[in-house]
């Protein structure tokens, strides 16, 4: 009797299972009907999350899962996926229209973000139109001395608002800096960054550039079609890079997080501009700034090499107080390497533009120095301007470099 009841329950469960398989959920059946065998599709790879190109090869019984063929002509590359992880290839290629497209009317007053200022600064402008596909808004900016009627520019949708955000203009607490160390032998009154909050002092080539000046320079030179003339574009990059090295910048630039970097990319700017932009904070130094004694420090860069069939990475540990270098006004230097090479004495010459590479300001080349190579010494201008840091790098191998902090006079 118990056996009969057990058999009855088993058969009932089996029939219920067959019924479920015979009548798939409406959503699965609808999804299956949207694809044809052999159709080109995009499928999402689970581990990486990337969308890959493949083809649709039918569905499992009951349309519960799609079967995709990852590689054409290879039946062994078929696998079952999920309906949410495939989509029509053609539809995926259609350019996405930004959600903000169609939001503004021509002639409407709007607000736009001025450069990448902090705190955020917004100005009122006029919406003109959208670029093809609604990818960007075209606005007329506030009139200035270069564009009395207001220049027209394509912006990012996130930098254009119907009204300025409430958070715009909120003051932030300034980052504290270390007290300035007097420079031995420096020209009295030599301009230094940060002398007056928000107004870096001017160097020989003029005051350090602000972001708006850089964007204005590109707008005047290239307009809205920066790639139309490759020769003009290259000359513009060369000229802007030289201007940055000549005047320095009033802001620290980090291309990985700065909105300015995105705008520079839109103008076609590459290493001729982005290199100097990250290394020339504050006005350029004169040669007198380099004279004096410095205690060296070193951080080794990782070195990748093969050990049999394994790829290994070796990194040198950073170290402070690794030696001392003195640069004298009379054209000589003394470098106590603190290692096997001991004390090296030699001559220096003024660094050329090629030897300075992306660095602006004055530099000197220590001839036949450490490891028998020429090393260029320059003011490190990619950090706190109130700290006295000297950069030293091999002229022909810029990745081999050291840093040094000034030793105050009398110590």
């Amino acid at each position: 009797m118990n056996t009969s009841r057990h058999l009855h329950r088993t058969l009932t469960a089996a029939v219920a299972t067959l019924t479920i398989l015979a009548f798939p959920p409406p959503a699965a059946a609808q999804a299956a009907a949207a694809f044809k065998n052999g159709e080109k599709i995009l499928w999402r790879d689970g581990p990486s999350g990337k969308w890959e190109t493949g083809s649709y090869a039918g569905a499992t019984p009951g349309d519960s899962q799609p079967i995709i063929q990852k590689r054409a002509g290879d039946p062994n590359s078929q696998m079952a996926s999920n309906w949410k992880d495939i989509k029509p290839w053609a539809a995926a290629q259609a350019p996405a229209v930004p959600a903000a497209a169609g939001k503004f009317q021509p002639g409407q007053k709007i607000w736009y973000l001025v450069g990448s200022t902090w705190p955020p600064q917004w100005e009122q402008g006029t919406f003109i139109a959208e670029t093809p596909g609604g990818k960007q808004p075209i606005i007329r900016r506030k009139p200035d001395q270069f564009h009395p009627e207001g220049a027209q520019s394509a912006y990012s949708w996130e930098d254009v608002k119907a009204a300025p955000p409430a958070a715009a203009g909120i003051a932030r607490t300034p980052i504290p800096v270390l007290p300035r160390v007097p420079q031995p032998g420096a020209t009295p009154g030599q301009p230094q960054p940060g002398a007056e909050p928000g107004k870096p002092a001017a160097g020989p080539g003029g005051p350090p550039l602000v972001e708006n000046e850089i964007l204005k320079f590109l707008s005047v030179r290239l307009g809205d079609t920066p790639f139309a003339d490759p020769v003009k574009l290259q000359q513009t990059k060369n000229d802007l890079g030289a201007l940055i090295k000549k005047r320095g910048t009033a802001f620290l630039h980090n291309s990985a997080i700065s909105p300015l970097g995105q705008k520079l990319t839109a103008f076609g700017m590459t290493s001729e501009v982005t290199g100097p932009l990250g290394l020339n904070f504050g006005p350029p130094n004169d040669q007198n700034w380099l004279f004096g004694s410095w205690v060296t420090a070193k951080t080794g860069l990782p070195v990748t090499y093969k050990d049999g069939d394994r790829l290994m990475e070796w990194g040198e540990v950073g170290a402070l107080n690794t030696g001392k270098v003195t640069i004298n006004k009379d054209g000589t230097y003394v470098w106590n390497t603190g290692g096997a090479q001991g004390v090296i004495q030699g001559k220096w010459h003024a660094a050329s533009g090629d030897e300075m590479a992306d660095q602006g300001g004055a530099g000197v080349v220590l001839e036949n120095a450490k490891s028998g190579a020429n090393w260029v010494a320059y003011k490190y201008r990619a950090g706190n301007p109130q700290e006295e840091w000297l950069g030293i790098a091999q002229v022909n191998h810029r990745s081999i470099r050291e840093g040094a902090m000034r030793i105050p006079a009398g110590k």
Side-chain angles (χ1 to χ4, degrees):
M1 190 67 176
N2 291 339
T3 301
S4 176
R5 289 176 181 170
H6 176 72
L7 180 60
H8 176 72
R9 285 197 297 268
T10 302
L11 289 173
T12 301
V15 171
T17 301
L18 289 172
T19 301
I20 291 173
L21 291 175
F23 299 97
Q30 186 177 4
F35 298 95
K36 297 179 181 179
N37 284 349
E39 177 184 345
K40 192 175 183 180
I41 61 166
L42 287 177
W43 60 277
R44 181 163 51 194
D45 178 59
S48 67
K50 294 181 179 179
W51 289 90
E52 306 284 354
T53 302
S55 59
Y56 180 70
T60 58
D63 294 334
S64 58
Q65 290 179 285
I67 298 174
I68 62 170
Q69 186 158 317
K70 296 186 285 185
R71 293 181 296 276
D74 181 5
N76 294 321
S77 69
Q78 292 185 359
M79 73 173 194
S81 184
N82 296 307
W83 290 112
K84 64 182 178 62
D85 290 333
I86 71 169
K87 57 186 176 182
W89 186 85
Q93 304 313 302
V97 178
K103 180 178 179 181
F104 304 110
Q105 299 299 318
Q108 178 180 343
K109 293 297 182 183
I110 50 84
W111 292 79
Y112 62 93
L113 183 64
V114 180
S116 53
T117 54
W118 187 257
Q121 180 183 344
W122 295 77
E123 294 282 3
Q124 191 174 60
T126 305
F127 179 78
I128 302 299
E130 297 175 358
T131 59
K135 291 183 178 180
Q136 290 179 283
I138 299 174
I139 66 165
R140 179 181 290 115
R141 302 197 301 264
K142 181 180 178 181
D144 56 39
Q145 59 178 329
F146 300 102
H147 303 91
E149 297 181 358
Q152 293 187 21
S153 298
Y155 263 62
S156 300
W157 284 110
E158 59 267 23
D159 291 342
V160 177
K161 309 290 182 185
I170 294 178
R172 296 295 190 272
T173 303
I175 300 174
V177 295
L178 297 177
R180 184 164 186 78
V181 179
Q183 301 179 19
T187 303
Q190 180 182 349
Q192 296 295 333
E196 183 180 346
K199 294 183 179 179
L209 295 162
V210 297
E211 294 182 5
N212 285 350
E213 286 183 281
I214 293 173
L215 294 174
K216 230 174 243 184
F217 179 95
L218 294 173
S219 179
V220 170
R221 284 288 192 94
L222 301 173
D224 296 331
T225 56
F227 302 98
D229 186 342
V231 175
K232 185 177 182 181
L233 175 61
Q234 185 59 53
Q235 188 60 52
T236 300
K237 290 191 284 188
N238 294 342
D239 291 348
L240 180 54
L243 183 62
I244 292 170
K245 287 188 282 186
K246 182 179 180 180
R247 289 177 53 182
T249 66
F251 58 94
L252 275 171
H253 178 70
N254 185 329
S255 59
I257 61 175
S258 171
L260 174 64
Q262 300 175 10
K263 294 179 174 65
L264 293 176
T265 300
F267 276 108
M269 296 300 100
T270 49
S271 59
E272 296 91 333
V273 171
T274 57
L277 198 58
L279 298 173
N280 291 280
F281 178 40
N285 60 291
D286 66 8
Q287 197 176 80
N288 283 335
W289 187 92
L290 303 167
F291 301 146
S293 295
W294 309 79
V295 59
T296 58
K298 185 176 180 181
T299 301
L301 299 176
V303 177
T304 303
Y305 64 95
K306 291 191 72 174
D307 181 8
D309 59 350
R310 295 183 299 173
L311 190 64
M312 309 291 288
E313 185 176 88
W314 173 82
E316 185 177 351
V317 177
L320 296 173
N321 303 321
T322 57
K324 177 182 175 182
V325 61
T326 300
I327 302 174
N328 301 310
K329 289 185 179 182
D330 62 2
T332 64
Y333 74 88
V334 180
W335 192 344
N336 184 346
T337 65
Q341 290 185 267
V343 178
I344 302 171
Q345 300 185 54
K347 295 182 178 180
W348 59 259
H349 66 259
S352 66
D354 288 341
E355 289 170 326
M356 288 292 283
D358 289 334
Q359 302 286 158
V364 298
V365 174
L366 312 181
E367 301 174 353
N368 302 313
K370 199 171 183 179
S371 302
N374 287 352
W375 290 66
V376 59
Y378 52 88
K379 182 178 181 181
Y380 178 77
R381 294 162 60 206
N384 187 341
Q386 304 289 21
E387 293 180 344
E388 302 279 81
W389 275 97
L390 183 77
I392 321 174
Q394 279 196 19
V395 172
N396 296 325
H397 303 281
R398 300 298 286 231
S399 61
I400 301 176
R401 59 183 183 267
E402 300 188 22
M405 180 170 277
R406 187 187 296 277
I407 301 174
K411 291 188 179 181

